[in-house]
Structures are given as C-alpha cells and as structure tokens.
Amino acid sequence: MSANKEISDYRSRIDAVDQEIMKKLEERLDLAQKEAELRQAEGLPIEDLIGERARREEITQNAPEDMATYEKLMYNTISELSRDHQRKVVVEDTPLVKSIREAQKNTPKVFPERAVVACQGVQGAYQQQACDRLFSMPKILYMKNFNGVFAAIDQGLCQYGVLPLENSTAGSVNSIYDLMAKYNCYIVRSVRLKINHCLLAKPGVRIGDIHEIYSHEQAILQCEDYLKNFSDLKVTECPNTAVAAEMVAKSDRKDVAALASLESGQLYGLNCIEESVQDNGNNYTRFICISKKLEIYPGANKTSLLLSVAHKPGALYSVLSRLYTLDINMSKLESRPIPDRDFVYRFYFDIEAEAYSDKFIRLMNQTEQISEDLRYLGSYNEV
C-alpha cells in the first residue's frame, strides 16, 4: 500500500470516528437537557457541580498516563457545552437581560446629532475633537476633571459625556475604569482618534530656549523618547493638553512650551515648533461616549463588562469558557484592584458580539449567574 493511500485510509477512519463522536455529543446534550428540565421541575439546582467533579476525577484516574490530560480537557469542554445547552433551554431571562431587551426596544434608531455633552479640559482638547466626531452639533460643558464629567451626567446637567479610555501607545486611562465602577453610567458609542502631539510655544521661542514643557500625563508618556532629546528639562503634568497650551499662552515666560494638538496651538495663538512628536506614528486614543440611561443603538457589536469572581481556582476560567463555547471573541481583558479589598480584583472585558444576537443574550444570562458582581457597561459600536 502506498503512503498516500494509507494516509487516505487513516483520514477515512478518522472521519468515521468524528461522525460517531458528533452523534454521541448530540445524544449527550439531549440527555443533559432532559436532566435539566427534571431538575427544574423538582426545584433542584440545574448544575450538579459536585457530581461533575467526581466524574472528572474518575475519568482522569482511569485514563492512560499519556491520555489523562487530553481526556480531562475533552470532559471539561463537553461539560461546558452541556451546561450552555441546559441554560439555553431552561434558564429564564435575568433582570439584566430584561433591561437589555427593554433598552433595545426603546432606544431611537439613529444616534443623536446634537446634545449637551460634558468633556474634561478646555476648548481645543482632544475630547472636544472626539465629541465633534460623535455629534455634529454638540453643546459642550467643560469640566475640570474626569470625575466632573461623570458627576455632570449623574446630576442631570447633560445627557452624555466623552472621555478617553485607552491609548495605543500609553495604554489604559485607569481612572476611567475606577469611575465607571463608581458611577452608574453606560457606554453608548466609542470613537478612535488619531493623536498628533505638537511642541507649541509663543511666537519667537526657539527649541533651544525651552526648559519646561507642560502636558497631560498620557501625552507625556506618548512622547517619552522625544523628551529625552532635551537636556535640563522640567516636565510638568497638567489636567489636559489644551489646558497646557492655554497655560503657555497666558505665561509671561519665554522658556516654556506645551505638548498638545495643532488645533490647540491655533486656538491659543502658539507656534508649532515641531509637529507629530509622539514616539509612535500610529498613535490612536479610544474615546467613549457615556450616558446615565442605557441606550443600545442598531449596529451595536461591542460590549464592555466589569465583573469580579470568587477568589478560587477556575473562577475566571468559568467566565472565559463561556466565551469560547459561544464562539465570542474577547478583544480586551484587564484587571483593576478593588479598593479596601486586599488582592481582590475586578476584571474589565471588551467582547465582540452583535447585541441583538441570541448568543449574546445567552452569554449575559450565564455571566450574571456565575459572577459575584457584574456591571454591564453597555453595548455600542465604534466609529
């Protein structure tokens, strides 16, 4: 027998085994469904975690040494598929899913063109540019800090707020995650903005005259390598890049400059000494638009979640495995410490799934049940 014919023979036998496995899987899921329906009728928990663990241990103990790991993984996968099928059949919508369905029903079909929007900083800030991308006719309220934006929405001073969430070079703006946990707000849309930092100074100032540079912490991080070109330089953090430009414009000094946008320089009468000084040319910041009211617009295909799980082995895996089972991509996972709780963390997830799809609703139902504290931060699309 030739090698090609022998390979073909093995392939045929493998295909036959695969077909048998699929038939057995369907049988297994059907039996799991009937068991779940009976348990529900008797008022028993749908999941038998103690019995499942005992069966897993028995399988691994009886398996050959070189097959034990594979059989354990196979059993875990089959168990997860069975649990998903059971929940799909017998679990009713949780309060969260009911609120999601209600929001989908009541949200307007088109995102508003004009609204009162809170942003941090002053005119010329990158948040303003992001706001102008999201709304064609916004009325902007400028706040001193990020907390002020959340507070303005919480107190009903405005309907929306625009905030930076993460940068492709400097990473996440961690304070925003903490404020999302503190305030009951939802993300309704997001936008990615190309960030070009410029070295701005008063007319007549040359680069060799500069001994102090003002800017926001994130902008400073994004220009770290560039700032190393200066000797005897003081770098001063400001609440906002546009604030930095405004400070330079109002200063009597001739040795200060700002890292800010070209638009800020034009607004405050500053010259651009050098343009695009960020270390990475592919420098983007992702801004989110938040609202106190849950709104889910058509086309929403990204969802953000903030949750904590039990402090025990496998607790986080139980959440991640559901993403795998439902074939949902996770585009981001970060952890943030919970204040006043030693070494206990919240996890921030970004997942990609159509908010109107069945698998998304199933995921929300399941995740709420297995999480200690789940905060649904909204479903939205990115422009």
Side-chain angles (χ1 to χ4, degrees):
M1 180 183 296
S2 67
N4 287 341
K5 182 171 177 53
E6 192 172 1
I7 290 172
S8 178
D9 180 59
Y10 278 121
R11 186 69 264 167
S12 297
R13 291 163 63 184
I14 290 172
D15 290 344
V17 172
D18 286 345
Q19 291 178 12
E20 189 64 27
I21 290 174
M22 293 303 107
K23 290 179 183 178
K24 289 298 181 182
L25 176 61
E26 292 173 7
E27 182 180 348
R28 216 273 195 186
L29 296 179
D30 183 59
L31 292 172
Q33 174 183 334
K34 289 181 170 59
E35 179 193 14
E37 291 170 342
L38 183 57
R39 281 178 168 274
Q40 185 181 49
E42 295 295 322
L44 299 172
I46 301 301
E47 297 180 2
D48 179 17
L49 298 179
I50 296 176
E52 185 177 302
R53 181 181 180 86
R55 288 190 291 275
R56 182 169 59 244
E57 290 177 352
E58 181 181 356
I59 286 173
T60 54
Q61 287 173 0
N62 295 333
E65 187 69 28
D66 61 338
M67 290 290 167
T69 299
Y70 300 139
E71 293 192 16
K72 178 183 177 181
L73 290 172
M74 172 65 82
Y75 181 77
N76 286 341
T77 301
I78 292 174
S79 296
E80 189 56 47
L81 292 170
S82 295
R83 282 194 293 268
D84 177 67
H85 186 64
Q86 288 174 323
R87 297 186 195 99
K88 180 178 68 173
V89 173
V90 303
V91 174
E92 296 181 355
D93 282 351
T94 63
L96 170 59
V97 169
K98 290 178 181 178
S99 69
I100 290 173
R101 292 190 190 277
E102 189 69 16
Q104 291 173 339
K105 176 183 174 183
N106 296 327
T107 301
K109 300 302 180 186
V110 179
F111 195 74
E113 292 189 351
R114 45 178 163 176
V116 180
V117 186
C119 294
Q120 183 264 341
V122 294
Q123 191 173 354
Y126 286 112
Q127 284 97 311
Q128 177 202 320
Q129 296 179 37
C131 185
D132 290 341
R133 283 278 305 278
L134 291 163
F135 302 91
S136 60
M137 294 174 283
K139 179 182 179 181
I140 301 178
L141 304 180
Y142 291 101
M143 303 296 160
K144 288 184 177 181
N145 50 45
F146 295 146
N147 188 81
V149 174
F150 281 91
I153 296 170
D154 190 59
Q155 295 167 16
L157 299 178
C158 57
Q159 186 176 356
Y160 300 105
V162 174
L163 297 149
L165 186 66
E166 61 179 331
N167 176 264
S168 57
T169 302
S172 298
V173 184
N174 291 325
S175 58
I176 301 298
Y177 292 115
D178 296 336
L179 288 166
M180 289 295 290
K182 176 182 176 182
Y183 287 92
N184 189 29
C185 292
Y186 300 95
I187 304 173
V188 298
R189 186 149 290 196
S190 68
V191 59
R192 288 182 184 268
L193 192 68
K194 182 75 161 59
I195 303 298
N196 284 316
H197 296 304
C198 301
L199 185 67
L200 307 174
K202 286 186 173 183
V205 175
R206 296 174 299 178
I207 195 167
D209 301 329
I210 297 170
H211 292 98
E212 185 172 4
I213 291 179
Y214 304 143
S215 198
H216 185 264
E217 176 189 13
Q218 284 279 320
I220 294 169
L221 289 172
Q222 294 162 29
C223 302
E224 275 186 322
D225 290 342
Y226 173 74
L227 293 174
K228 292 175 183 177
N229 295 321
F230 293 83
S231 59
D232 192 28
L233 177 70
K234 179 181 178 183
V235 178
T236 301
E237 291 184 9
C238 299
N240 186 274
T241 54
V243 170
E246 185 181 43
M247 288 173 61
V248 171
K250 291 180 177 180
S251 174
D252 294 329
R253 295 169 56 186
K254 298 293 186 180
D255 64 343
V256 293
L259 291 174
S261 67
L262 187 62
E263 290 82 354
S264 292
Q266 294 169 345
L267 184 65
Y268 294 106
L270 301 178
N271 282 350
C272 177
I273 297 177
E274 286 194 89
E275 190 173 353
S276 298
V277 299
Q278 64 273 5
D279 301 333
N280 190 336
N282 191 34
N283 188 33
Y284 286 85
T285 293
R286 179 182 168 212
F287 293 85
I288 54 173
C289 179
I290 61 172
S291 171
K292 189 171 184 178
K293 180 183 178 183
L294 175 58
E295 300 174 351
I296 305 176
Y297 289 89
N301 58 6
K302 182 188 288 286
T303 294
S304 296
L305 303 170
L306 192 64
L307 61 86
S308 58
V309 295
H311 192 55
K312 62 181 183 181
L316 182 58
Y317 168 78
S318 65
V319 176
L320 299 178
S321 63
R322 280 152 179 78
L323 297 175
Y324 177 75
T325 300
L326 292 168
D327 193 29
I328 293 176
N329 183 50
M330 178 178 65
S331 57
K332 184 173 184 178
L333 171 60
E334 289 195 8
S335 62
R336 294 288 298 149
I338 299 177
D340 304 323
R341 295 183 66 182
D342 291 340
F343 302 106
V344 180
Y345 296 86
R346 287 190 183 96
F347 295 95
Y348 180 94
F349 288 81
D350 278 348
I351 61 172
E352 296 174 352
E354 296 292 337
Y356 289 81
S357 66
D358 175 64
K359 66 180 182 180
F360 169 73
I361 295 298
R362 285 159 61 187
L363 177 69
M364 291 299 97
N365 267 325
Q366 296 175 24
T367 305
E368 187 172 14
Q369 292 170 351
I370 63 176
S371 303
E372 282 195 339
D373 179 26
L374 172 65
R375 278 287 314 280
Y376 168 70
L377 301 181
S379 297
Y380 50 95
N381 70 341
E382 192 163 276
V383 297

